[in-house]
Amino acid sequence: MIAAGEVIERPASVVKELMENSLDAGATNINVYVEDGGRNLIAVTDNGCGMEADDLALAFEAHATSKLSTSADLLNISTMGFRGEALASIASVAKVSIVSRCKDKIEANKLEIDCGEKESVRPCSGDTGTTIEVRNLFYKLPARRKFLKTANTEITHIVEQFTRIALARTDVGLALSHNKKELYRLNAGESVRERIAKLFNADLAGSLLELQSSERDMKLTAMIGRPDSGRANSKFQYFFLNGRFIRDKFLLHAVKEAYRGLIEPDKFPTIFMFLQMPAQNFDVNVHPTKIEVRFDNSNLVYSQVLGVVREKLLSIDIDVHASLPKTGYAPFGEQNENKQRVADAMAAFFNNNKSSGTSQRHFDFSNVARRSDSQAVAAREDFYSNPQTQSFSPAQEYLQIHDSYIVAQADDGFLIIDQHALHERIMYEELCRRLASDGSGKLQSQKLLIPETFEPTSAQLDVINNNKDLLDRLGIELEPFGPGIFAVQGFPTLLNKVRPMEFITDLLDILCDSVGKVDSERLLHKILDMAACKAAVKAGQKLSRAEIAQLLADKQTIERAARCPHGRPTVIKFGLAELEKQFKRT
Ligand code: ADP
Ligand code: MG
């Protein structure tokens, strides 16, 4: 009745199984000691309930478990283990010794097993709880021993297993040592944040947002990364269900959706998520290492996770807060090297937008505060001499600089807005809104006075024919216009600033690239991203005061206005308090 599987793959699997057994035994303290990446020795000591002498011998029989009484229990599993496989498999491939003492007993019992050869159980001295030592893993199986990696690699896997348990069970004190060196000592009762600080790093832990929800039968708590802290890989994505680390594509997808548009598409948000629900509502008996589960109602789980994460992300102020340097003061004309830094930083900052795609988000403000070079002076002179900007006064509260950025006063400081990025965001939201509403779910289209013609390649012809519905939704009319020639007859009204042929070419590229990849929602969003980017005002484009005012007004109304669709920031905020500190007013 159980989904049996090979559980012992490498030392880390032994560590996982033994720690889980200790947790099931009610231990409040577990010590893990490892030598040589676990190849020589893995020893786990707990202060759990321990085992009686006769159970000790039974525990190592295949499929012997104390955690199920009837097969019906399989539908309501609340322990980490339930298949009775781990001890038997471990003892069949290593030299194992176990000492265990029950709470109400005066002495302990000991059992030794060498690759399945069992000695008899003998009384001995020992503390309450259980200690299991596993030596020379796979030593009689050279083929498998050969596949073990270096001690470094194996300990990395062990640390990962240890980490998963340590995050899930903050109520238990845990320690891990390798070759006499203590790697982690975690106290019972620490918060998840404290554990993250110790297991990863304090900066990460400090930056995480906390959220929780409780709906129907599911309780959820999570620590999530701010959108600007996306990672290049999914290493910082942890999901737990009733204290068990799990991997689940629905959960991953829900989180990805929640961050959509807030984080660059190739980045992974940091997430530590803990779900609690009645054991009858899911099945863990589907995967050999129980890392996958089957939810009875995965749609519900999906929408709840998506909902709370999204809500949290939208509720926070995701403007990037610029912090000025701690040692801001530098006398004018200090050092040449400084001037070069300033020039470089200015160039990087103001070119930021021109190189679309690669963003320069982490602009180093420490350089700007030290500006003392001619560029800064020129900027100041321009400020006073240019008639366009001369009219700037505190009452009007905004100013376009370098035809690319808008500086606007805010209640508690000022904002620097990337005009292209913000407008792109606004266009994107508007496109989504119009596609979603409007009854028809279509973008409004207008006829082109002079249809533009083009000659599609055969691949383009295919995608034109296969995506008629999509083109229709987008308000694009492509009609045959002679042998091998097509004409753009209709084009979305909202994109009236975009050159139709340029847009169609990119659109067909996207469609050709996506052939065979079926996710039509993602495809649509990709197209909308592209459309928004093209329709938005560009960097280097002079805007009228009315246009700026419109942009700022739209900013207020557009959800998530602080990120453009590519996840780059649209706004950087400077606080008044920060300025006052810099000018030594406080
Ligand atoms: P499972 O955990 O699936 O029951 P195992 O092979 O891991 O199977 O363990 C077999 C049995 O040995 C458990 O059901 C439990 O009764 C007992 N056991 C194992 N480890 C411990 C421990 N550290 N403390 C007390 N009992 C233990
Ligand atoms: Mg077990």
Side-chain angles (χ1 to χ4, degrees), residues 58 82 85 123 172 177 187 191 199 223-224 282 292 315 335 345 352 393 440 467 498 511 544 578 580:
L58 265 180
F82 57 86
E85 287 185 308
V172 178
S177 303
N187 305 320
S191 67
L199 293 162
M223 308 276 291
I224 65 174
F282 63 92
E292 286 172 18
S315 75
Q335 283 162 6
N352 177 0
S393 74
S440 60
N467 289 284
V498 180
L511 291 176
S544 69
E578 191 66 51
E580 283 171 355

Side-chain angles (χ1 to χ4, degrees), residues 325-335 338-339 341-342 365-373 376:
K326 306 223 162 38
T327 55
Y329 176 70
F332 278 82
E334 204 189 34
Q335 283 162 6
N338 238 355
K339 291 192 182 176
R341 277 226 308 273
V342 172
F365 285 93
S366 61
N367 289 331
V368 154
R370 291 164 178 251
R371 70 160 95 175
S372 57
D373 69 326

